[in-house]
Amino acid sequence: MVLNSPRGTADLYGKELTYRNFILEKSKKLFNRFCYDPIVTPAFEHTEVFSRSIGQATDIVQKEMYTFYDKKQRSLTLRPEGTAGVVRAVVENKLYAQNLPIKLFYAGNMFRYERPQKGRMREFFQLGAEAIGSANPLMDAEMIWLISDLFSSLGFKDLVLLINSMGCTLCRKSYTQKFQEFLHHHQEKLCPECRHRLDTNPLRVFDCKRQSCRHAIEDSPKISQHLCSSCRDHFEKVRRYIKILGINCQIDHSLVRGFDYYSRTVFEVVSTALDSAQNALGGGGRYDDLVKQFGGPDLPAIGFAIGLDRTSLLMQQLGIKPSASRELKSLYLISMDQQYSEYLLELLQFFRKECICDTNFNIKNISKELKWAQKHHYDFVAIIGEEEFKNCRVSIKDMQKFKQHAFDWKNEKDTILALLRGN
Ligand code: HAM
């Protein structure tokens, strides 16, 4: 008798693997350019790692986890996603005791007991990025930039980026009450499961795929319209920054995503070419309270993950072919004041097209920053101080030749490129 692989799993070989390896290679190069370091965490964790973070009332925790007891009767779970394990690892190994934010990326198989169909598997593959230790809206913009560059570097053109803000614990609390009141008035239109969610975790009603429930909440109050002033300001800045980066997005007031850990910015990349239930290629958001919940310090964080299965499927469906690429120089961009953020973004965008480039998300003194860049073997350091900002100039220091050059940012881009390329 021939044995089959379990339902919802697949053997990967030939053309399918060529696509996946291409996606992995491209994304590793991109993560390197944005200065994210790799991390590998276990494929299974203590069940609590997921139940505590993802949320008891979520579909994942209630219905989709592969949980088992080992021979010593410890409850373990195959990871349904990567964020919780990364946060657990960061806290356990005190990875936060270094220059913040700490920026990590990972790739691996995840497991969810879902109803298998095209683009929805029980074992599936994700690659993701997490940045821990900065509340700066620039960090949100970098994540959104990363996910959107990832898809465009793979050859996608017409994907849609949805964005929303979930607010912080404070504004979400008062919003949840309003939403709950609304649901109470419309509970006869909800499915039995959502009627239960109404009392346990009302926001999870947004995750229900049933048409009747979606219909029932169409006119409900929306969280992004009930943000406190600090969350509103944060959300406005994120949208401004991604606009400067030339990234188009649509605000989706119903986007809450299926995890309890999110706060403030959430986003998703969807394709209209895929079946609507599986149209999300990737998504993420802020989770400012999670590190603390895991027993670590109070560190804000943000991340995203994309699904390899769906991405590869859509590439093949759209006829996008894997293609071939050069050795890159590295540059560390130092901004001396948060006021220069918009100018900084413009420069970052330029440098990251050309070389491996990172910036200081948290402002510190210049000599510390220079030492840090030297220790990390950057080829160049570019500085934006008051003088550069006011006169629209940029100073670039060649760390090997110990030479500094000053450029007129608007008119000398070609000369800057020649310097970076060593011409
Ligand atoms: P997620 O939206 O659950 O987020 O998953 C990210 C991507 O994984 C989805 O957009 C989809 O492409 C893929 N995916 C999810 N479930 C399946 C499945 N059953 N079969 C095939 N592909 C699937 C997260 O997992 C969060 N941890 C993202 C994140 C990182 N948020 C902050 N940091």
Side-chain angles (χ1 to χ4, degrees), residues 21-115:
N21 287 338
F22 171 72
I23 300 169
L24 282 169
E25 284 306 310
K26 276 275 180 199
S27 54
K28 275 186 196 152
K29 284 199 178 124
L30 190 70
F31 287 138
N32 183 32
R33 257 181 214 221
F34 281 63
C35 302
Y36 283 66
D37 290 323
I39 185 165
V40 176
T41 62
F44 59 88
E45 299 269 358
H46 291 291
T47 300
E48 222 189 326
V49 168
F50 305 115
S51 54
R52 253 214 263 167
S53 56
I54 295 172
Q56 289 290 354
T58 58
D59 275 357
I60 294 188
V61 171
Q62 295 223 322
K63 301 187 236 167
E64 296 171 4
M65 295 209 303
Y66 280 91
T67 297
F68 58 97
Y69 288 93
D70 72 0
K71 293 186 185 191
K72 289 251 168 84
Q73 296 309 305
R74 286 172 288 230
S75 177
L76 300 171
T77 294
L78 298 184
R79 60 181 175 196
E81 57 104 48
T83 311
V86 169
V87 172
R88 197 263 315 129
V90 166
V91 172
E92 184 175 340
N93 299 292
K94 298 196 172 53
L95 300 184
Y96 49 78
Q98 50 178 287
N99 194 52
L100 293 173
I102 159 167
K103 306 205 294 186
L104 300 167
F105 78 88
Y106 54 89
N109 46 352
M110 311 287 156
F111 308 85
R112 294 183 194 172
Y113 193 82
E114 296 198 75
R115 202 143 52 85

Side-chain angles (χ1 to χ4, degrees), residues 368-385:
K368 268 195 183 162
E369 294 292 358
L370 284 171
K371 271 194 197 132
W372 191 85
Q374 202 163 25
K375 193 174 149 207
H376 289 80
H377 310 292
Y378 275 92
D379 300 307
F380 299 96
V381 163
I383 302 162
I384 314 173

Side-chain angles (χ1 to χ4, degrees), residues 81 83 112 114 121 126 130 257 259 261-262 280-282 303:
E81 57 104 48
T83 311
R112 294 183 194 172
E114 296 198 75
M121 304 290 288
Q126 280 188 346
E130 315 289 346
R257 306 209 7 95
F259 305 88
Y261 55 58
Y262 286 123
L281 291 174

Side-chain angles (χ1 to χ4, degrees), residues 138-272:
L138 270 181
M139 196 76 252
D140 307 45
E142 173 166 292
M143 275 296 163
I144 292 169
W145 178 8
L146 198 45
I147 196 172
S148 110
D149 254 28
L150 211 165
F151 285 115
S152 49
S153 73
L154 293 173
F156 287 101
K157 290 202 174 71
D158 299 316
L159 300 178
V160 181
L161 172 75
L162 304 174
I163 178 168
N164 195 19
S165 175
M166 307 267 310
C168 59
T169 356
L170 285 182
C171 45
R172 200 162 51 248
K173 196 168 168 200
S174 66
Y175 164 75
T176 306
Q177 271 169 6
K178 287 193 184 81
F179 184 55
Q180 200 166 28
E181 278 163 28
F182 174 92
L183 291 179
H184 271 293
H185 286 118
H186 296 81
Q187 56 177 308
E188 73 288 351
K189 297 180 201 151
L190 300 175
C191 69
E193 209 175 323
C194 283
R195 253 178 259 157
H196 178 68
R197 286 168 165 155
L198 195 169
D199 294 314
T200 52
N201 193 341
L203 285 186
R204 299 276 62 97
V205 174
F206 279 106
D207 303 335
C208 188
K209 302 269 185 303
R210 284 187 193 85
Q211 213 46 45
S212 53
C213 293
R214 292 197 159 203
H215 220 72
I217 56 171
E218 247 164 29
D219 298 324
S220 67
K222 301 292 185 281
I223 190 153
S224 47
Q225 288 148 354
H226 291 82
L227 299 176
C228 63
S229 63
S230 144
C231 287
R232 208 177 317 124
D233 179 57
H234 185 95
F235 194 39
E236 270 164 24
K237 285 204 172 102
V238 174
R239 281 180 293 152
R240 239 178 99 66
Y241 295 159
I242 60 176
K243 192 167 172 212
I244 293 175
L245 291 165
I247 300 168
N248 289 323
C249 71
Q250 282 175 22
I251 299 187
D252 178 348
H253 297 288
S254 304
L255 184 69
V256 297
R257 306 209 7 95
F259 305 88
D260 279 357
Y261 55 58
Y262 286 123
S263 52
R264 292 196 160 175
T265 318
V266 284
F267 52 93
E268 214 159 77
V269 173
V270 298
S271 159
T272 43

